[in-house]
Every structure is written in structure tokens, then in C-alpha cells.
Amino acid sequence: MTDSKTAAEAAPGLTLNNGVSIPQLGFGVFQIPPEETRVAVTEALAAGYRHIDTAAAYRNETGVGAAISESGLAREDIFVTTKLRNGDQASPRAAFEASRKALGVDWVDLYLIHWPVPSQGLFTQVWKELESLYAQGLIRAIGVSNFLPDHLDELLAHSTVVPAVNQIELHPSFQQLRLADKSRSHGIAVEAYSPLGQGRDLENEVIAGLAADHGATPAQVVLAWHLGLGNIVIPKTVTPERMRENLAAARIKLSAEDLNRISALEAGGRIGADPAVAAFTQM
């Protein structure tokens, strides 16, 4: 328990553009089966994580909520993110309430539009509803996910509240530098999903060499790179030992040269869907 507490205390916090603090290193539950989520989140909270990232589309919000409820931790000590499913963009308020009920919480810390789905033409309308929920205190911060520069431009032209976060695919071989820079230029924090390139980037010899130099795992080095760049990062694993290892990445301090060597691995290797055309409903 001492090690977990130490790791949790070492994990940095990041202040969003509305003053809300978010743990920079969180725990993602993408692709964790609903029946396994409760145990996984319970293990993550025991390891010291205080930021859990889920989504309506993952169909595991209930498991996340059960683990939080049973953890014995104060609700305000756990940062919870969930996301609006693409197929619910026409009814965002009802979708939010369904997520809140599934999670069993009075408020959500961060609520994101999961994908822009430009073919639907609804995301600016959705944002107005999120601004209303935010004003009511039901959400502590609102943001977007997978929004490209032109999507951000359109949203900002029709918004009152600037998104707090843009959660995007980001890892050493796919860094979306233009998008990340544009987000930050508006005060929008960058949050990385698939932060390890779904494991593909861990085999790179540069990362392996840095891991040996720092007495760390390749995953820890990549996560330390994210933290060093100021990214929020949400690695996923169902293995308790890996959970602890990932959280301990916050203790690793990479030099500017180390950061630059990893940043030089950009290869344009997108793994997920292209937000410019993605139009799945996430059913």
C-alpha cells in the first residue's frame, strides 16, 4: 500500500482552463469487457489511480461506477471522465443523464463529445447543451475528443465555453503536432489515448534503449515522455502489476534530449479511425 500511495502522490496534476485540476496520469477502460471493468477499476484505485476514463460507447460505465462506490474513497477524490456516444448526438442531455445514472454519480468531472461526426452536422448544437449542463454544475469541465483543427474552428466560432480538453490519438509514432499545438494555443489541454501505440511503439529501439538507461520499462518511458510534454495520458491494462508500473512512470524524469529523441519517432502511423470521415454510431 505504501508503494501505491507513493506512486499516487508522485503523479502530477494539471490545471485545466477553467481552474479544475485533473490527474495527468489516469486509467482508461477502453475495450475492457463490461463484466471485467468493476474488478479492473477496483485494482486501479487500489494502485493509486484517481482519474478514470470511460465512455457510453464502451458499455462499462456501470462497472466503473460500482468500483468507485465500493472503493471507500470520497467522490471528490476521483476524477471521472465519460463521453457522448455518436449515435446520441441528437439527444445529448438524455444521454448524459443515462451515463450519470450508470456511473451512479451526482456529477461528472469531464464530459466529452466522443467524435465530431461532421457528416451529422450536430456537434455545435451538442456543445450548447453541454454548456448548459456545465452551467448547472452537473459537469465540472466539458471538452471534445477526436476534433481536428477545422472542427475546433467551427466549434469555437459557435461557443461560449472553450473546451477544456481535446482527447486524441497520440503516441510516439503518431503525434498530431499541428492539432496538439492548435489545441494548446486556445488553452485546450491535450489528452492522449492509445498512448503506447497499442503496444506497437514499445518495440522501437530508441525507446528500448532509453528504458535500459533509466532502469524502466519501455511503457514507463513512453508515459514519461507524454508527461514531460504536458499531455494528459490514460493507459489501459487489466494487470495489477502493469497498473502499478504505469503509474510509477510519473517518477521518471526524462531529459530534454530524451524527449526529443522520442519525438523524432513521428511516422504518421494512425491506428484508429480518421475523425474527418468517421461516422459510426458506436452501437
Side-chain angles (χ1 to χ4, degrees):
M1 194 68 175
T2 302
D3 289 344
S4 295
K5 183 178 180 182
T6 302
E9 289 173 345
L14 187 148
T15 302
L16 300 176
N17 59 17
N18 66 348
V20 168
S21 179
I22 181 172
Q24 195 178 352
L25 179 53
F27 181 73
V29 298
F30 175 57
Q31 292 184 331
I32 298 181
E35 64 275 12
E36 298 177 20
T37 302
R38 181 177 185 172
V39 171
V41 175
T42 295
E43 293 282 4
L45 293 172
Y49 289 88
R50 295 296 180 265
H51 170 189
I52 309 297
D53 179 279
T54 184
Y58 304 164
R59 302 188 182 278
N60 55 18
E61 291 171 313
T62 300
V64 170
I68 290 171
S69 176
E70 296 164 2
S71 69
L73 297 166
R75 170 65 187 91
E76 56 268 23
D77 291 338
I78 304 174
F79 193 99
V80 180
T81 299
T82 192
K83 311 175 192 79
L84 175 69
R85 192 179 67 88
N86 295 349
D88 290 332
Q89 285 194 5
S91 53
R93 185 172 290 267
F96 169 77
E97 289 297 346
S99 286
R100 191 160 68 102
K101 181 177 180 181
L103 288 163
V105 297
D106 293 329
W107 75 89
V108 168
D109 296 282
L110 177 63
Y111 194 57
L112 308 178
I113 301 176
H114 205 157
W115 292 80
V117 198
S119 59
Q120 290 186 159
L122 292 173
F123 66 76
T124 58
Q125 179 180 321
V126 169
W127 190 252
K128 291 299 182 184
E129 287 292 338
L130 266 58
E131 288 182 331
S132 176
L133 291 164
Y134 173 64
Q136 293 174 48
L138 296 173
I139 308 170
R140 295 179 66 220
I142 53 178
V144 296
S145 182
N146 297 296
F147 273 52
L148 299 176
D150 57 330
H151 305 140
L152 289 177
D153 286 340
E154 184 174 353
L155 185 70
L156 291 168
H158 295 87
S159 64
T160 300
V161 178
V162 175
V165 167
N166 189 9
Q167 186 182 114
I168 59 176
E169 180 183 342
L170 198 162
H171 43 90
S173 60
F174 187 66
Q175 298 172 39
Q176 303 206 75
L177 290 175
R178 175 171 168 258
L179 175 57
D181 288 347
K182 183 178 183 66
S183 296
R184 292 191 177 103
S185 74
H186 289 286
I188 303 169
V190 174
E191 183 167 10
Y193 73 78
S194 295
L196 308 177
Q198 296 187 5
R200 301 178 194 181
D201 289 358
L202 303 183
E203 300 173 4
N204 185 279
E205 61 182 15
V206 170
I207 291 170
L210 288 170
D213 291 345
H214 287 273
T217 67
Q220 287 175 326
V221 166
V222 174
L223 293 174
W225 171 75
H226 280 287
L227 297 175
L229 294 182
N231 298 334
I232 303 164
V233 62
I234 47 171
K236 181 214 80 176
T237 179
V238 295
T239 307
E241 182 179 357
R242 287 274 176 81
M243 293 177 190
R244 292 189 290 272
E245 285 180 357
N246 288 346
L247 194 59
R251 303 175 190 165
I252 299 169
K253 304 303 178 186
L254 300 179
S255 68
E257 180 182 356
D258 292 339
L259 295 174
N260 289 336
R261 289 181 68 194
I262 298 174
S263 295
L265 300 178
E266 168 64 45
R270 184 190 292 279
I271 295 171
D274 183 352
V277 295
F280 40 81
T281 63
Q282 302 175 305
M283 289 298 290

